[in-house]
Amino acid sequence: MQYPVILIETPKAEILDRQILLMRNERAKLFMKLPDDTFRPGNDAFHLDFWVDEKPICIDSGTFSYNAGSLTDQFKSVYAHNTVQFDKHEQMPKISRFLNGKWIRMAEISKPIMNGEEIFWGRGL
């Protein structure tokens, strides 16, 4: 018996579990970590990963580096992530090794808007 093949078109942009914005085309993928106060956030709100032709162009140096001896605090900091930082401050105060205070939360999460080959995402779109 043969079963029909059903092709599912991959969206060019989507939000996964209210935590990751994913935008892609045939060659490139962009992932952005959205701030969510429901599960142990770190210093990577709005962190970006950018890949072209399945090769990482921009990724954070913190990946798999959370047990790096004297460099552990640096790898866990906002400095080691591709994200925004103001006046060399962390995004949230550190309480313990894997817990931060004053968790960041987005008031709303808008869906990406696609206009032909262009993708837009932001507050109030």
Side-chain angles (χ1 to χ4, degrees), residues 72-112:
T72 298
D73 285 342
Q74 179 180 339
F75 284 128
K76 287 173 45 178
S77 74
V78 69
Y79 174 80
H81 293 82
N82 296 333
T83 189
V84 294
Q85 181 180 27
F86 297 99
D87 296 328
K88 298 184 181 180
H89 292 285
E90 295 298 316
Q91 292 177 338
M92 294 173 280
K94 182 178 176 180
I95 294 174
S96 66
R97 183 170 180 189
F98 289 106
L99 184 61
N100 294 349
K102 297 185 180 179
W103 290 7
I104 297 171
R105 179 175 191 248
M106 292 181 61
E108 62 183 79
I109 298 178
S110 63
K111 292 182 179 181

Side-chain angles (χ1 to χ4, degrees), residues 13 111-115 118-121 124-125:
K111 292 182 179 181
I113 297 172
M114 288 166 274
N115 183 9
E118 295 181 323
I119 302 171
F120 300 92
W121 181 80
L125 290 178

